[in-house]
Amino acid sequence: MKKFNQVLYGGDYNPNQWSKDIWQEDQAFFKKANINSTTINVFSWAKLQPSEAVYDFSELDEIIATLAKDEKEIVLATSTSALPAWMFKHYPEVGRVDFEGRRHRFGQRHNACPNSRVYQHYVKELVSRLAQRYGQQPQVSIWHVNNEYGGECYCENCEKAFRVWLQEKYGTIEALNKAWNLEFWGHTVYSWDEIVVPNVLGDAMDQRNTAFAGLSIDYRRFMSDSMLENYKLERDTIRQYDQETPITTNLMGTYKNLDYFKWAKEMDLVSWDNYPSFDTPWSMVAMTHDLMRGLKHQPFMLMEQTPSQQNWQPYNSLKKPGQMRAQSYQTMAHGADTIQFFQLRRSLGGCEKFHGAVIEHVGTTETRVFREVAQLGEELTQLSEIIGTKNVAKVGLVFDWDTYWALEYTSGPNQDLYYVDQIHHYYRYFYERNIAVEMVAPTDDFSEFELVVAPVCYMVKEGVKEAIEQFVQAGGTFVTTFMSGIVDQSDNVHLGGYPGPFRKLAGIWVEEIDALAPSQENTIQLNDGTQGKSTLLADIIHLETAESLGEYTSNFYQGQPVATKNTYGKGQVYYVGTQLDADSLATILDQAVDVDTLSTCLATKLEVTKRHSDSSEYTFVMNFTHTAEDLPAQFVGQLDILTGQEVNAETKVEPYDTFVFKRNLS
Ligand code: GLA
Ligand code: ZN
């Protein structure tokens, strides 16, 4: 399989939207910015197949020839995410039906029904032609299948396919009735064709909750699988003609609808599109990179980021001077081997004309954005040695799409409970202490970790309890929280007292779960005297074998434990029974975490993140604060490989400054 031998630097490029003289200008500009790759053919289906029986690759041939002449590497997309008008006209079934039951028409993108045989047929026809024609081109470095798979469809084809999926999963209708607990409200079904897909006029209670979460969760699994089948159809078609080029599709971080752990198993490389908002914390961006790396526990590609601004957020602020550079290095620090933009030339019309690009509407290289892109391009030419290096972590943070779905479908106890925010609340503790984290699926191997953290580990599927018990038994530390161990894979409660399968591990019984409205909070006091706040949800905990780490000091459950610690085998289990303020949480986690050994750099506000090869260690030091910070003493005298300068004790790290230090490990 082909491998990258330089940091791919470039991004989405749509020469087909421009005249030929612009193509020439683009090539000259790319050279100036050290852009070495382009992602092409993302949205060209209507050009490649102007009508049902006609294929025309002449323009794409010409684009590829132009890029090849300039020795550009090519990320070749398959164009299957925006359908030609003729397909909608002749086969309206290719359009999705939404949760409201409305059939969508030609106009948008990412709108094909994944279970439409017509769509699948034309996808296969197009992709086999592309793979046959371009699969052997040496400059094609990677295939980019479709674009940002996502959304959902509730059409009659999907309904039929869902019934088949259910039959394969459950075997009998009795097993399905039991799994979804359909006795509730007397919803027992007697044949597969009585099953109705989720719908606003069906089992929906509102936009978020449905009457039978078991059904909705299975539908999400089915939709994720359906789109994954679309991906696999393209992948397998490409593989018939090209066995050498890796294949990916661009993911979207913590995007809810697709179970990316399952997807990543089918992908040669993970790639993703990073679009933080003006107020997204840098710790959240870091966590999302770690999640994308964690999908395969391998370096990933940054497929898209904007060099300057976006158009689709409510407030599309500019990236400040230096911000794009710092953001790019943070991306690499967390495991990216490529830096690519959306897009290279800003579009003339359409909804993305206000989306930032390397080449702005003014059409020159004399812009702040271009200069910053060019500077980074030059720096990256020296960083090819980082490709393939690893991030090593002793802390595993559990992320699970099933729980994400189940927790947010649940009706009660508190509508403000959001999965990603809860995970981030814990991630931030490690981020602020420069402790590397590996994001893991609940079924991953934990043996390399000292600590496994599973906040709101709501759905505990088969095998997970045993794996965690084994990990703790052998000396590991496990941290979990309220809303953990509550349901099985079908969203039915693990009976016998919360936290169900974790009860023995945690050595507690949670009798009741109180919900706190935004205007309410409990006060708490930890054993060392720390006073703090409990919000969102509050467990009323009874100690069994655990000890209390602090208590509620208000409400009718004052005096009862708010967090606990239990010894189990050679290990420890911490249970946090409420949403704690950051300082109180830190007081608890400081007891569970060996901060001094695990941190790459303490007592600094700078982000310090490492990647390793067998022979070298690369330390990325970045300032995401608004003030100049001192360079920690441990780096004094080291050589910054970006500038070739040695840093000294007086070196200040200005906001968005980045250094990369290299150290030989031998
Ligand atoms: C997504 C898409 C791109 C483009 C960008 C704009 O990531 O993949 O085609 O629309 O958003 O930010
Ligand atoms: Zn459909």
Side-chain angles (χ1 to χ4, degrees):
M1 191 89 65
K2 288 182 195 167
K3 283 211 160 79
F4 301 136
N5 51 24
Q6 56 181 348
V7 177
L8 289 200
Y9 189 56
D12 277 46
Y13 179 47
N14 299 297
N16 41 308
Q17 294 171 12
W18 299 92
S19 63
K20 300 272 167 64
D21 49 323
I22 298 282
W23 298 16
Q24 294 317 315
E25 192 177 272
D26 289 336
Q27 295 313 309
F29 288 5
F30 295 164
K31 204 165 266 165
K32 235 175 147 173
N34 277 296
I35 283 174
N36 58 26
S37 85
T38 60
T39 304
I40 56 167
N41 203 43
V42 184
F43 298 107
S44 307
W45 197 344
K47 273 259 180 81
L48 300 172
Q49 195 178 2
S51 67
E52 212 163 325
V54 180
Y55 287 90
D56 178 1
F57 294 95
S58 55
E59 188 182 58
L60 186 55
D61 285 349
E62 228 182 308
I63 291 171
I64 290 181
T66 308
L67 295 168
K69 209 162 70 208
D70 261 37
E71 295 177 344
K72 292 280 171 297
E73 296 202 37
I74 293 173
V75 177
L76 187 56
T78 58
S79 269
T80 51
S81 64
L83 283 48
W86 59 257
M87 209 186 294
F88 275 91
K89 188 169 153 201
H90 297 171
Y91 309 100
E93 65 143 288
V94 297
R96 286 186 190 168
V97 170
D98 61 23
F99 193 57
E100 284 73 28
R102 304 169 307 182
R103 165 85 61 197
H104 286 221
R105 309 198 300 173
F106 178 64
Q108 262 285 355
R109 61 173 180 174
H110 305 151
N111 53 0
C113 164
N115 288 299
S116 157
R117 288 278 154 79
V118 176
Y119 172 67
Q120 292 165 4
H121 167 79
Y122 284 110
V123 162
K124 191 162 184 198
E125 289 296 313
L126 177 67
V127 173
S128 61
R129 283 172 173 79
L130 286 169
Q132 227 169 331
R133 200 173 182 95
Y134 306 112
Q136 306 307 322
Q137 301 264 6
Q139 62 274 20
V140 175
S141 305
I142 185 158
W143 286 94
H144 171 308
V145 167
N146 201 277
N147 188 65
E148 295 191 336
Y149 279 104
E152 56 249 317
C153 180
Y154 302 91
C155 76
E156 60 288 0
N157 280 332
C158 287
E159 192 163 61
K160 281 186 203 134
F162 183 46
R163 291 170 183 158
V164 174
W165 185 92
L166 290 170
Q167 283 179 54
E168 275 165 20
K169 176 166 179 174
Y170 293 107
T172 65
I173 200 82
E174 290 75 25
L176 175 119
N177 277 304
K178 190 158 175 269
W180 293 353
N181 197 34
L182 292 179
E183 276 292 338
F184 172 75
W185 286 355
H187 274 53
T188 308
V189 290
Y190 294 93
S191 74
W192 299 101
D193 61 9
E194 288 174 7
I195 293 158
V196 176
V197 299
N199 178 276
V200 78
L201 302 176
D203 79 331
M205 322 246 285
D206 49 45
Q207 282 299 324
R208 177 169 161 172
N209 302 122
T210 57
F212 291 89
L215 159 66
S216 297
I217 295 162
D218 268 341
Y219 201 70
R220 284 215 186 267
R221 290 174 176 143
F222 160 74
M223 256 305 128
S224 176
D225 283 359
S226 297
M227 288 183 200
L228 183 55
E229 284 305 317
N230 287 176
Y231 170 80
K232 283 159 68 182
L233 172 71
E234 295 203 28
R235 180 201 62 189
D236 296 345
T237 307
I238 293 168
R239 278 285 167 262
Q240 283 174 18
Y241 305 96
D242 173 8
Q243 285 83 44
E244 289 304 311
T245 315
I247 303 174
T248 190
T249 182
N250 47 342
L251 308 182
M252 296 179 282
T254 58
Y255 179 70
K256 187 169 176 180
N257 293 33
L258 305 178
D259 181 350
Y260 284 155
F261 275 111
K262 193 166 181 187
W263 275 65
K265 293 198 171 74
E266 308 293 339
M267 298 163 63
D268 295 322
L269 268 177
V270 165
S271 66
W272 88 281
D273 302 344
N274 179 27
Y275 290 105
S277 320
F278 75 97
D279 57 353
T280 306
W282 289 100
S283 52
M284 179 69 102
V285 183
M287 178 181 104
T288 316
H289 287 311
D290 285 350
L291 179 62
M292 296 294 96
R293 189 187 72 245
L295 297 179
K296 284 184 95 65
H297 305 296
Q298 272 173 25
F300 59 90
M301 296 174 72
L302 178 76
M303 190 64 93
E304 294 180 23
Q305 68 173 350
T306 175
S308 54
Q309 73 191 140
Q310 292 149 63
N311 68 287
W312 47 268
Q313 308 240 14
Y315 309 102
N316 299 283
S317 45
L318 294 173
K319 283 187 178 158
K320 311 257 182 308
Q323 182 178 347
M324 183 280 288
R325 177 176 181 263
Q327 183 177 323
S328 302
Y329 284 118
Q330 186 194 38
T331 306
M332 290 192 82
H334 287 270
D337 282 351
T338 75
I339 297 292
Q340 294 153 278
F341 298 107
F342 183 89
Q343 60 179 332
L344 297 186
R345 188 180 273 272
R346 196 185 266 232
S347 53
L348 179 75
C351 62
E352 286 175 348
K353 63 181 176 300
F354 282 123
H355 196 289
V358 171
I359 305 167
E360 306 269 9
H361 286 148
V362 65
T364 70
T365 56
E366 293 311 311
T367 63
R368 174 181 75 93
V369 168
F370 190 90
R371 282 191 291 271
E372 291 194 29
V373 169
Q375 186 203 329
L376 179 63
E378 197 177 328
E379 289 173 6
L380 292 181
T381 57
Q382 315 159 55
L383 292 187
S384 354
E385 58 186 282
I386 283 179
I387 294 172
T389 56
K390 294 189 177 63
N391 292 69
V392 181
K394 290 283 163 205
V395 177
L397 181 56
V398 175
F399 195 98
D400 177 39
W401 265 269
D402 277 316
T403 289
Y404 193 171
W405 299 332
L407 195 71
E408 295 189 2
Y409 271 127
T410 282
S411 183
N414 192 324
Q415 64 166 13
D416 295 337
L417 177 61
Y418 288 101
Y419 185 62
V420 176
D421 291 347
Q422 291 301 321
I423 303 298
H424 176 245
H425 194 46
Y426 281 76
Y427 182 89
R428 190 163 46 195
Y429 168 86
F430 298 99
Y431 180 80
E432 285 172 354
R433 284 156 189 77
N434 285 316
I435 296 174
V437 169
E438 190 73 10
M439 304 294 287
V440 291
T443 46
D444 277 346
D445 175 11
F446 298 148
S447 56
E448 292 297 308
F449 301 123
E450 287 176 14
L451 181 78
V452 170
V453 186
V456 292
C457 189
Y458 178 66
M459 180 179 281
V460 177
K461 293 170 275 191
E462 256 169 58
V464 171
K465 169 188 181 236
E466 292 72 16
I468 293 172
E469 279 177 354
Q470 209 186 342
F471 167 74
V472 181
Q473 197 67 261
T477 301
F478 180 59
V479 178
T480 190
T481 71
F482 60 95
M483 288 305 263
S484 292
I486 308 284
V487 297
D488 65 12
Q489 77 89 30
S490 300
D491 200 48
N492 293 317
V493 169
H494 288 294
L495 297 178
Y498 314 134
F502 295 159
R503 182 168 171 181
K504 210 162 146 239
L505 261 170
I508 55 164
W509 168 43
V510 174
E511 184 177 353
E512 292 179 278
I513 307 168
D514 198 8
L516 303 166
S519 59
Q520 299 174 314
E521 61 187 38
N522 291 324
T523 55
I524 60 136
Q525 179 164 327
L526 301 179
N527 289 357
D528 70 346
T530 308
Q531 304 209 341
K533 283 177 189 154
S534 130
T535 50
L536 194 73
L537 289 163
D539 281 352
I540 303 184
I541 299 173
H542 298 279
L543 300 173
E544 291 182 331
T545 53
E547 58 183 285
S548 169
L549 300 177
E551 55 192 41
Y552 294 104
T553 50
S554 65
N555 221 322
F556 73 91
Y557 36 92
Q558 62 177 285
Q560 283 185 261
V562 66
T564 62
K565 176 185 173 184
N566 192 39
T567 300
Y568 186 91
K570 292 195 195 125
Q572 314 286 341
V573 177
Y574 289 79
Y575 184 93
V576 182
T578 187
Q579 176 173 277
L580 289 174
D581 60 280
D583 287 344
S584 305
L585 180 61
T587 305
I588 301 287
L589 291 177
D590 283 347
Q591 301 169 54
V593 182
D594 185 357
V595 177
D596 291 335
T597 339
L598 296 181
S599 171
T600 53
C601 188
L602 270 175
T604 177
K605 290 187 181 144
L606 302 171
E607 180 183 332
V608 179
T609 301
K610 294 187 181 203
R611 286 180 75 170
H612 298 259
S613 66
D614 290 339
S615 55
S616 310
E617 176 189 80
Y618 301 87
T619 305
F620 293 73
V621 177
M622 296 152 282
N623 186 354
F624 291 116
T625 76
H626 298 293
T627 49
E629 299 291 325
D630 292 333
L631 190 76
Q634 70 192 82
F635 301 114
V636 171
Q638 294 205 29
L639 200 70
D640 169 28
I641 61 175
L642 301 181
T643 56
Q645 311 255 310
E646 200 174 283
V647 293
N648 56 44
E650 278 75 59
T651 307
K652 283 278 174 204
V653 189
E654 299 294 331
Y656 296 131
D657 260 2
T658 300
F659 299 90
V660 182
F661 302 116
K662 179 180 174 182
R663 196 165 69 92
N664 290 331
L665 291 176
S666 42

